[in-house]
Amino acid sequence: IIKAKIERFEKISKDIMENVQECNTIAILGLTYKAGTDDIRDSPSIEIIKYLIKHGRYKIKTYDPVGTENCKKFLSDQVEYYVDLYKACTGASLVVIATEWDVCKKIDAVKLKNVMKDLNIYDLRGIIDKEHFLKNNFKIRSIGYKQNA
């Protein structure tokens, strides 16, 4: 099971790297393994961030309502931490939604559009209102969802 999880996180990380040029900013929303906790054990975002740091040159900005302090123990200053979701996304070429926090489900596409560099969303939890984002010209990648070109 552990090997399968690691392979899944590596696959997601490679997919991200194929779709975002190096030296660009990636915002990771959600650091905990699930919403409603500060527990980062088995967190997909931690493994994805470690992989991106090891294999690429990206500026990584993070947001989590309660898991940031625990994350700092593992990643320290390798990433930037934000208390505001939209500030974490400012200048990003890609936003990765890694935890199903309510605040992530309710992201305002218009507000996000105004702060991002490139309008790319990778929704690992399948929680965003895809139609809302498509109407605002976002490119969406999501588990179980394939956007028509």
Side-chain angles (χ1 to χ4, degrees), residues 33-35 97-102 104-105 125 127:
Y33 83 97
K34 69 175 187 174
I97 300 173
T99 308
E100 65 277 5
W101 288 104
D102 282 342
C104 293
K105 291 177 188 174
R125 301 297 184 160
I127 60 169

Side-chain angles (χ1 to χ4, degrees), residues 58 60 63 71 75 124 144:
Y58 303 97
I60 299 174
Y63 166 80
C71 187
L75 299 174
L124 300 180

Side-chain angles (χ1 to χ4, degrees), residues 85-86 89-90 104-119 121 128-138:
L85 180 147
Y86 297 98
C89 297
T90 298
C104 293
K105 291 177 188 174
K106 298 174 184 174
I107 295 173
D108 181 335
V110 175
K111 191 172 180 181
L112 193 62
K113 180 180 182 175
N114 289 326
V115 299
M116 289 183 69
K117 176 182 174 189
D118 301 309
L119 304 180
I121 300 263
I128 63 168
D129 179 350
K130 290 170 188 58
E131 291 304 316
H132 179 58
F133 281 87
L134 290 171
K135 286 178 186 174
N136 284 282
N137 301 315
F138 279 84

Side-chain angles (χ1 to χ4, degrees), residues 22-62:
E22 286 192 290
C23 300
N24 279 327
T25 300
I26 299 172
I28 308 284
L29 308 181
L31 299 171
T32 58
Y33 83 97
K34 69 175 187 174
T37 183
D38 66 352
D39 191 347
I40 60 168
R41 292 175 295 164
D42 295 325
S43 167
S45 57
I46 302 299
E47 297 306 317
I48 290 167
I49 291 168
K50 286 182 189 177
Y51 191 92
L52 293 173
I53 289 169
K54 182 177 179 182
H55 297 288
R57 296 178 317 185
Y58 303 97
K59 180 177 183 178
I60 299 174
K61 299 163 88 175
T62 64

